[in-house]
Amino acid sequence: MIKRLVRILSHGPLHIVIILIALIWMLPSIGLLVTSFRPAPDVAASGWWTVFKTPFDFTRYTLKNYETVVTRGNIGRAFLNSLIITIPATILPIVIAAFAAYAFAWMRFIGRQILFIILIALLVVPLQMTMIPILRIFNRLHLAGTFPGIWLAHTGYGLPFAIYLLHNFIAGLPRELFDSASIDGASPFYTFLMLVLPLSMSAIASLAIFQFLWVWNDLLVALVYLGGTQDVAPLTVQVSSLVGSYGQSWELLTAAVFISMALPLILFFALQRYFVRGILAGSIKG
Amino acid sequence: MRTRRLIPWLYIGPALLVLTFFLLYPSIHTFYLSFFGRNSDKFIGLKNYIYTFTNKTMLTALRNNALWVLFFTTLTVLLGLILAVMLDRVRYETIIKSIIFMPMAISFVGAGVIWKFVYAYRPPLAPQIGILNALLRIFHFHPLGWLIEKPWVNNLCLITVGIWIWTGFCMVILSATYKSLPKELIEAARVDGANEWQIFRGIILPLMWPTITVVATTMVVNVLKVFDIVYVMTNGNFGTEVIANRMYKEMFQFRNFGRASAIAMLLLLLILPAILINLRRFKRQGIIR
């Protein structure tokens, strides 16, 4: 009993520091959440923390900001655009990468080493290096400002990491698996489809979250290849243009940002395990 | 036999095609364009590069990227390490980790707006709605234009946003490594009378060093390309310009493709050491031979 008390007391400063850091980390997001539900005059007149004096006074909360940004700020349309952009731009690179990763891990062919070295170099090449030539080609092919254009761009940019991550995983599968499959007369494609893919599901899940979040949260690629066109603009582009037009209307900006955060946050908290696994596989092992 | 040799190429073919079109070919083309004028029709030698290294705003951008690399990398890795070690000792570790890690899930644009609100400035007599200036008021200081005061305050304020986002990433990786350390070694040192600091310096730090370098390299690569935060919060005004934002402006605002290409080349040049470090590491780990 006394021993436990001593332990808790000696750990006291540690607990205080940790909880303080966690509070500081949460504070900006709480400010965002609270502000998005406050009426405009309140937001302009007092800090968001003042609501905590009477947290249950529901007359001081409103959904009007959300209504305004969805109807007049084009956030509803932008949300839909983000979905239309993100879903194919997540699936496409994973499919292409799965095939390539399997070949890199378990097939012998001329140039395998050098291609893999190039792949690793491409992992960190800044996207800026590629934008001008691709944009010109896109303009000529009328792909600029279209969804297929940005699907392809995200596929290209996501591929190096996707292949690399899946390769790490697939190369770690036991050799006997492939030996016995080949003795049983299974073709490479059959092995890939019936053995490799099902066994790699957890790695694919990690990769899917990564790619989804990366595309959903991307600003630069969307700005460059979609331009400022409103009917194709995803949330990030739309929100950043609202920063210009709504300026000091914090209640509207915060509502728009919260809408843009909602889906990634749900995914993140539901699938955090896979997300963490992906980060670890992509950094330590490799 | 012939077809068997072709099979691998069917598997990597699509990937090769996409990578060549979207990464390899354009990178080489950008290198080529960097020696040409704004419309890519006139060869002008090294003029774009001279501009890149002498223009006043470019020099500001270079200085700021250096500030980002220094402060962002040091603080994310250090904070990540401290959190990894501290959180291992408490039972509510997972929930705190989720809180610190959460910003990784949201966009830089979102984070930019969130923090712009934290830094919000009102004139001294108006009610302060940004939490930082409200804090200053409590201590009877004048409100500060956090994103305007150059060059230290505003750049450090932007860097803070980056740290808020990326510390969780560092923490997760460092924590996994920390938990994999041989606990007997640490226990033995403790029994031998080493204090916590000696254990940290003498055992934990050396064992974790390889991971720390990996994480730090990743952070440097990330931060050299920093764009969204600056674009949303200041758009490079008040002396907060960074290389990537400058490249975007040259490309879309000034329509000077030659200069934009040269700036892109500069980014690649700065990241080159990281590419070499990565290759060496993979070689050592036997992933490539």
Side-chain angles (χ1 to χ4, degrees), chain B residues 20 38 47 52 74 85 92 102 104 119 141 149 161-162 177 193 195 202 211 256 260 270 277 281 286 289:
Chain B
T20 310
R38 58 184 315 128
K47 271 205 183 125
T52 301
T74 320
V85 175
Y92 44 91
M102 188 276 289
M104 276 297 291
Y119 298 135
F141 285 109
E149 294 291 330
V161 183
T177 313
N195 65 34
T211 313
N256 191 325
L270 291 173
I277 290 173
R281 181 158 59 88
R289 262 155 293 184

Side-chain angles (χ1 to χ4, degrees), chain A residues 93-172:
Chain A
I94 294 179
V95 172
I96 298 178
F99 280 98
Y102 172 53
F104 272 123
W106 291 102
M107 290 178 178
R108 299 283 164 270
F109 53 91
I110 302 158
R112 195 177 70 108
Q113 277 303 318
I114 184 78
L115 284 177
F116 201 70
I117 289 173
I118 292 173
L119 187 83
I120 284 165
L122 289 181
L123 270 176
V124 291
V125 163
L127 303 186
Q128 280 85 354
M129 278 296 289
T130 68
M131 290 179 157
I132 292 171
I134 293 178
L135 186 63
R136 284 189 172 169
I137 297 173
F138 271 20
N139 279 330
R140 226 174 298 145
L141 301 175
H142 302 291
L143 277 172
T146 69
F147 290 129
I150 198 162
W151 293 336
L152 286 172
H154 274 305
T155 303
Y157 296 150
L159 259 188
F161 182 71
I163 299 175
Y164 161 69
L165 192 77
L166 289 181
H167 168 269
N168 280 357
F169 187 87
I170 294 174

Side-chain angles (χ1 to χ4, degrees), chain B residues 140-156:
Chain B
H140 301 287
F141 285 109
H142 274 289
L144 194 61
W146 298 92
L147 294 174
I148 296 167
E149 294 291 330
K150 59 181 166 185
W152 289 100
V153 176
N154 57 3
N155 279 306
L156 288 178

Side-chain angles (χ1 to χ4, degrees), chain A residues 11-12 35 79-80 108 122 135 155 178 187 195 198 214 242 245 275 283:
Chain A
H11 270 59
T35 306
F79 190 92
L80 200 64
R108 299 283 164 270
L122 289 181
L135 186 63
T155 303
F178 295 89
S187 71
L195 280 175
W214 151 250
L242 290 185
S245 54
F275 191 47
S283 58

Side-chain angles (χ1 to χ4, degrees), chain A residues 15 25-26 35 43-45 49 110 113 116 120 124 128-130 136 189 217 219 250 264 272 283 285-286, chain B residues 8-9 11 22 30 40 92 98-99 105 107 117 122 127 129 134 164 173 228 247 257 275 281-282 285 288-289:
Chain A
H15 293 301
W25 233 261
M26 284 196 302
T35 306
V43 171
W49 50 90
I110 302 158
Q113 277 303 318
F116 201 70
I120 284 165
V124 291
Q128 280 85 354
M129 278 296 289
T130 68
R136 284 189 172 169
F189 184 66
N217 289 335
L219 172 70
W250 289 110
Q272 196 175 359
S283 58
K285 267 174 71 190
Chain B
W9 297 97
Y11 283 76
F22 280 97
T30 297
S40 316
Y92 44 91
S98 292
I99 291 170
S107 64
F117 190 48
R122 293 285 200 68
I129 59 170
W164 182 71
I173 296 174
D228 310 34
M247 191 246 160
F257 290 125
I275 298 181
R281 181 158 59 88
F282 289 124
Q285 293 172 339
I288 54 177
R289 262 155 293 184

